[in-house]
Amino acid sequence: MSTGTDSDTPRTGAGWDAGVGSVVNRSERRGGTLRLATSADVDSLDPARTYYVWVWLLQRMLNRTLMAYPTDPGPAGLTPVPDLADGPALVADGGRTWTYRLRENLRYDDGSPITSADVRHAVERVFAQDVLPGGPTYLVPLLDDPERPYPGPYRGTGPLRSVHTPDERTIVFRLNRPFSDFDHLMAQPCVSPVPRRADTGATYGKDPRCSGPYRIAAHRPGEFLHLERNPYWDRAGDPVRPALPDRVELAIGIDVDELDDRLIAGEFDINLEGRGLQHAAQDRVTVDDVLRSCTDNPRTSFLHFVSIQPHVPPFGDVHARRAVHYAADKILLQQARGGPVTGGDLTTALFPPRLPAHQELDRYPTGPDLRGDLDAARAELRAAGLADGFEAVIGTQRGKFRLVADAVAESVARVGIRLTVKELDVASYFSLGAGSPETVRRHGLGLVVTDWGADFPTEYGFLAPLVDGSQIKPNGGNWNISELDDPLVNELINRSLHTTDPAGRARLWRDVERRVMDHAVILPLVHDKTLHYRNPWVTNVYVHPAFGLYDVQAMGITTERTDRENTV
């Protein structure tokens, strides 16, 4: 409720894009409440099960990992640094053995000590996909024994043989092949320490032990999540997290347009979800100099695309899939995302420009005006025996995704492809909706609108989850939505992991990209640009280069925000 005081009037922010590559409102001021909001729910508070990038950023407040991305807005933010570890890993055996030492006197939020055995147990939990589906599984093929697959810690088969803990502070990983990106895996939430005594399996996310500067004070799924300080966190022993607010309050499940209105009105400090302002708010903000000065428009390196499922008829025929590619009106699709300023840069390739393997690839040209090559699309339909077109279903969720689905339907209708739009639940869209092969089949989703940002900023981290056959997850959280399992693609990916020469790796990944585009299972739309709004009283605001979103764990609140709280 407004009080009519001056604090209700936004003051000028630091300027358009000031939070891209630099920090807005640097401050070390502690105290206050950071107020966040999302339209979607937290996918999981179990660090092994979360896969939403904004929840990974939230996890940086709750949990620590052996390595972590530093609080840095520049290129240095892309390289993991020691977090729970007291220094870089000792790497031996040609990149197959990685040894880390934990810092001294690490404790959970209940005061109990954190040991190397807890990190090992966290890694073992990743293998229990029948119990804990949803999170990344990169560690499984690197640490498993194909002759005796490890089922996880709940089957009573003994420990994971490839991870050793010779003492309470030392952990040794013995990989079955070299993997130069291993430090990046040690920065993922799934390796946050979990004490075996507190592990309740599938329900652990209801009461997890926290190793970071905050712990869960209250949580009502679909409504709110409140965090309070972890009294056993040692600021001097954490080189990454400033932990400035005393409390963090997240409001969950707010309609996207309502969220924008309440954010701009100052009720919330930041939209944690980071999908950016919707079209109505964009139109308002971009023409108002004061509001515009509080916005950032970064290239996030997220890829927005349509996945096409070969296992859903008639898309088992590659010509039916290619017809969709040729019929796509790229301009209309970009407009559905928000236009060239806030909707993203049009792309016909998969890799974002900042990755070495990026290439100018246009496998299915859509004409000089980018509105679609309808003759080529009709030729593909005839090759598929579908000259009169066909009916299919496109899966999506509300908001911008729905606008994209409608634009796809309008595009392909011009060649007789008649799409029915099916909206799925926002909160579970990537876990049990589009990310569930069973859901895709049950609803006959031949096409799915989705997006993807790299789990870590390398070619493998970006593309492997989308196209590597070994990463198909039947129980949910599946990002290889098309379930592509091409032996040649898989072989090229494996070869890249054994290639130490950066130029050679880039060439292999370009080959992977070309092969994937030949299959026509991914229709790339844009490399994302998102319009973020930051209220002017939030400190230490910047877009983290490894995540493409605001790094909320770095933020604080000025006295202006505290004064505002006291007048409402």
Side-chain angles (χ1 to χ4, degrees), residues 448-465:
V448 170
V449 179
T450 188
D451 62 4
W452 171 254
D455 286 342
F456 44 93
T458 69
E459 284 85 356
Y460 186 92
F462 182 85
L463 194 54

Side-chain angles (χ1 to χ4, degrees), residues 208-289:
R209 297 279 59 79
C210 297
S211 53
Y214 296 94
R215 63 184 180 185
I216 298 167
H219 180 211
R220 184 175 295 168
E223 296 185 30
F224 63 80
L225 172 67
H226 295 167
L227 309 182
E228 63 185 7
R229 287 195 180 277
N230 172 3
Y232 297 98
W233 172 75
D234 179 12
R235 187 182 191 192
D238 189 333
V240 174
R241 301 162 185 81
L244 299 177
D246 289 331
R247 187 173 175 86
V248 179
E249 296 183 354
L250 171 64
I252 297 170
I254 303 172
D255 177 78
V256 289
D257 290 311
E258 179 189 349
L259 194 159
D260 287 347
D261 290 342
R262 294 168 69 180
L263 174 66
I264 294 170
E267 186 174 342
F268 305 119
D269 302 319
I270 294 290
N271 177 350
L272 173 62
E273 192 176 1
R275 290 198 178 276
L277 298 176
Q278 301 297 306
H279 294 345
Q282 289 178 18
D283 293 342
R284 173 186 171 191
V285 164
T286 53
V287 298
D288 184 306
D289 288 342

